[in-house]
Amino acid sequence: MLRKIMFLLLLCLAIGVHAQHELSELKIYVLLLPNGDAVVEEDRTMYLADQGTEVYEKMNGLEDREMRISDFGVSDSIYGDYQLVGWDVNQSRAWKAGRCGINTTEEGLELCWGFGEPGPHTFTTSYVLHNLVQSYTDYDGFNHCFYDAANPPAEYVQLALWASDTTIVLSPENAGIWHFKYHGDAWFSESGKVLLKSTQALDNGDKVVLMMQFKKGLFSPEVKHDETFESRVKERAFIDSDYTMDDPGEGSKSSFMGGDDESVFEHYFYIAIGLLVFIGLPLFAILKLILHKPLERRRKRKLILKVLGNVDEVPYYREPPLGGNLIGSQRILKNTLGMLDVKTTFGTKEFTEALLLRLLYKGNIDIAMEQNEKGETRELFRIQEPVAVSSNDNVELKASDKSIIQEYIRKKYSIISSPADDEEMERGLQDLLYRAAGDDHLLQPDELKTFIQNEKNVLSVRDFASKLSSAVDNRYSSEFAFKNTKPEEARQVFGFWEYLNDFSIIGEREVVEVKLWKDYLVFGALYGMAKKVREGMKKICPDYTALDGLTRRFLEESSGATDAFSYVSLLSIATYDTIRYSSTYETAFERQARLEREARAERERRYSGGGGHSSFGGGGGFSGGGGSGVR
């Protein structure tokens, strides 16, 4: 009997543990602006149980230090961009889903957002923290709590901080870093960033407190003090810490002074809760398991009917959808087919081929014929020089203008991704091929292999590779993106996809469609069905003379080993491989930097102002903090 009771208790405790919220990873990015403000973005990877209605982050003590929060925003992988509203902590979970707001308390304020349905979530929060860096008579600096662990504490935390002025390279020569109240390391990177990471999971009550001082002239803070940073900030922070004012130290490990153990009352309380739910929870889980699939299928059918209508009644669409927009068309089709449980096989490689075909039709790339020394004719690609476009990189920052700040971050640091349009992708691809072709501007697919072996070329291709990936990949889940697609756009794309699949069977030979066949080839490549579309055209084409020269050339069979269309496919594959290689290749400089970082971590050193292990004690006098979690 005793063994049965122990088994039941352990089972209840296991159920209780399973039902807890989890914060597996927290990534914090801090961009310091010239006036001392900071743009902060936080990425949380969480699993949320069925308890509670919102996630919150406390920001206490800001007003006392002449600091404030503005431009608060939230997005996640399910609801997309949240609506900023006046916050009411007593509202229901349904009301809070997809909404965020700021709740004012006696101690300060709370950044709050709803999480809607339980399960896995990836939240991105952003805000402007005004007057983080303040001026003192000896240095500029701050002492701030960027994370205060509560329910649930993070299993892993990392933080990156740097200056928006790219001429400022933070280093031990112009700055100092100290960090407190968690187990972790901090250091200056070779690129001028300050990096922190935890070395073990945080407990309730642990904090990530970062104190920094800067030499005068790096920033122009708006808040000024007539005291020294050392006397007003550093001395107080070092109380009860293992830092000293004059002893640099050589990397002693942090003292463990936090993380109170669970009380006896809490222990038996959780056992009692486990016993209470022991009967109801398994029954609920069984019913949910039985009903989940039918309810899920019904919910998806309702959503498909709302956006797309009856699938069997969607009419053919014979013109390029969305006015010929490649990025939008591929995304919408991928989301739509995903909702219909149709496997998709198209992505970055197919998008690259569609861009290449469009450049050929626009005349930015020509297929040229050349004879070698043996008199053999071969086809080459003549790449036209890309037309330069004006740059908007020099944006004047205004901390009160969220759109300007986010645009600056998008362009400079890719913290907030932004899908590029078709024309930007076409220019990027044309520029890559133009540089790979060399001085004669004639390109063969094999030349790309030589081009990418130069490390300078690897780095230059990476930016385009990143934009290409952002253009093709959905930021949100397929279901969320499909739900927010305009019905007429979804029907256009799906109707056009079905038409490309069936048009050779239909046997229509209208002149207007023949004129659109070049677009059919482009979108056939985009949808991963270029070969099928081409074979269908050859089957029903009434008269090749009605086609433009390039399309006619693509449809004609070659007497040689490779026809023109297959030759274009070879170039698109070589281009895709080049782009993918640039994203994974480690240059000699990057390899050296990685080895140096690993060596630094191995030494586990810490010196005054130079990072190293955190001090678990001390760190007093910081701004921010107060707790964070789910309630």
Side-chain angles (χ1 to χ4, degrees), residues 318-546:
R318 291 169 171 79
E319 296 188 6
L322 311 184
N325 184 298
L326 299 180
I327 295 173
S329 297
Q330 192 184 65
R331 285 182 174 179
I332 290 176
L333 182 60
K334 186 180 293 185
N335 296 329
T336 302
L337 296 181
M339 289 297 296
L340 297 174
D341 296 323
V342 177
K343 185 178 180 181
T344 59
T345 57
F346 52 83
T348 304
K349 182 169 69 69
E350 289 70 26
F351 182 59
T352 304
E353 185 172 354
L355 289 175
L356 184 58
L357 286 170
R358 182 165 280 182
L359 288 171
L360 282 160
Y361 276 117
K362 287 185 174 181
N364 296 337
I365 300 177
D366 300 318
I367 299 180
M369 307 299 293
E370 182 183 78
Q371 282 190 341
N372 59 20
E373 296 176 353
K374 298 180 180 179
E376 298 171 338
T377 302
R378 61 174 181 171
E379 293 175 325
L380 300 172
F381 294 96
R382 181 183 292 109
I383 315 297
Q384 305 296 327
E385 184 176 5
V387 178
V389 294
S390 60
S391 174
N392 295 319
D393 285 346
N394 297 321
V395 179
E396 181 182 354
L397 280 176
K398 297 178 182 177
S400 60
D401 191 331
K402 180 179 180 180
S403 63
I404 292 179
I405 291 173
Q406 289 191 340
E407 182 64 20
Y408 181 84
I409 296 172
R410 286 191 190 103
K411 289 182 176 294
K412 289 290 186 182
Y413 302 104
S414 299
I415 291 177
I416 303 173
S417 61
S418 175
D421 59 17
D422 288 354
E423 291 185 358
E424 183 178 357
M425 291 293 93
E426 291 170 18
R427 286 194 300 270
L429 179 58
Q430 184 180 351
D431 179 69
L432 164 62
L433 300 178
Y434 182 78
R435 288 185 289 115
D439 295 337
D440 62 359
H441 312 317
L442 294 175
L443 179 69
Q444 298 182 75
D446 289 344
E447 287 187 271
L448 286 164
K449 295 180 181 179
T450 305
F451 174 76
I452 202 63
Q453 289 175 359
N454 187 313
E455 289 195 346
K456 291 182 179 179
N457 296 333
V458 170
L459 297 175
S460 67
V461 172
R462 278 187 186 172
D463 181 58
F464 175 66
S466 176
K467 291 179 180 179
L468 192 67
S469 177
S470 297
V472 172
D473 296 336
N474 275 327
R475 182 178 180 183
Y476 308 118
S477 66
S478 291
E479 182 172 330
F480 173 80
F482 179 77
K483 182 171 64 176
N484 287 274
T485 301
K486 295 179 180 179
E488 61 270 21
E489 294 181 348
R491 292 168 70 84
Q492 272 189 33
V493 172
F494 184 73
F496 186 69
W497 176 75
E498 287 216 306
Y499 178 67
L500 289 185
N501 274 291
D502 299 343
F503 83 105
S504 64
I505 302 174
I506 297 169
E508 296 178 346
R509 296 176 172 84
E510 298 178 8
V511 176
V512 64
E513 289 170 6
V514 172
K515 293 180 179 178
L516 290 173
W517 278 13
K518 62 182 180 181
D519 295 307
Y520 293 175
L521 281 174
V522 172
F523 275 82
L526 183 71
Y527 295 160
M529 50 195 296
K531 183 177 180 180
K532 182 177 183 178
V533 171
R534 182 188 179 219
E535 292 303 318
M537 288 180 174
K538 290 164 62 177
K539 179 179 178 181
I540 69 170
C541 184
D543 183 5
Y544 278 19
T545 61

Side-chain angles (χ1 to χ4, degrees), residues 71-125:
D71 303 292
F72 175 49
V74 179
S75 66
D76 79 353
S77 53
I78 297 177
Y79 295 99
D81 293 329
Y82 279 37
Q83 179 185 3
L84 183 64
V85 298
W87 199 249
D88 183 354
V89 296
N90 298 314
Q91 282 284 1
S92 66
R93 181 189 293 173
W95 182 89
K96 293 178 180 179
R99 291 185 170 99
C100 63
I102 298 178
N103 181 48
T104 303
T105 67
E106 293 183 359
E107 295 83 14
L109 56 85
E110 298 171 336
L111 307 179
C112 309
W113 61 96
F115 60 83
E117 293 299 317
H121 288 261
T122 301
F123 297 107
T124 297
T125 60

Side-chain angles (χ1 to χ4, degrees), residues 11-22 47-51 281 285:
L11 183 60
C12 292
L13 287 174
I15 293 172
V17 169
H18 177 73
Q20 296 300 309
H21 305 297
E22 296 176 5
Y47 179 88
L48 295 169
D50 203 22
Q51 301 87 20
L281 194 59

Side-chain angles (χ1 to χ4, degrees), residues 117-229:
E117 293 299 317
H121 288 261
T122 301
F123 297 107
T124 297
T125 60
S126 60
Y127 55 89
V128 177
L129 181 58
H130 295 272
N131 299 325
L132 173 66
V133 180
Q134 300 186 4
S135 175
Y136 301 86
T137 57
D138 51 352
Y139 295 100
D140 300 330
F142 65 84
N143 183 25
H144 184 73
C145 177
F146 285 96
Y147 173 62
D148 193 343
N151 174 36
E155 298 175 18
Y156 175 75
V157 178
Q158 72 177 44
L159 181 149
L161 176 148
W162 66 98
S164 64
D165 183 347
T166 55
T167 64
I168 297 176
V169 178
L170 298 177
S171 68
E173 284 69 39
N174 59 19
I177 55 177
W178 300 264
H179 50 131
F180 309 87
K181 298 189 178 299
Y182 75 110
H183 293 290
D185 293 315
W187 65 95
F188 291 101
S189 74
E190 288 78 4
S191 60
K193 294 183 175 67
V194 172
L195 304 177
L196 282 74
K197 69 173 183 179
S198 60
T199 53
Q200 69 179 58
L202 281 71
D203 290 326
N204 288 341
D206 291 358
K207 298 173 175 60
V208 177
V209 178
L210 173 63
M211 182 172 69
M212 289 198 67
Q213 69 179 25
F214 308 99
K215 284 187 176 182
K216 290 291 186 178
L218 297 181
F219 301 97
S220 301
E222 296 178 356
V223 177
K224 304 181 187 306
H225 303 278
D226 57 2
E227 303 170 72
T228 65
F229 182 81

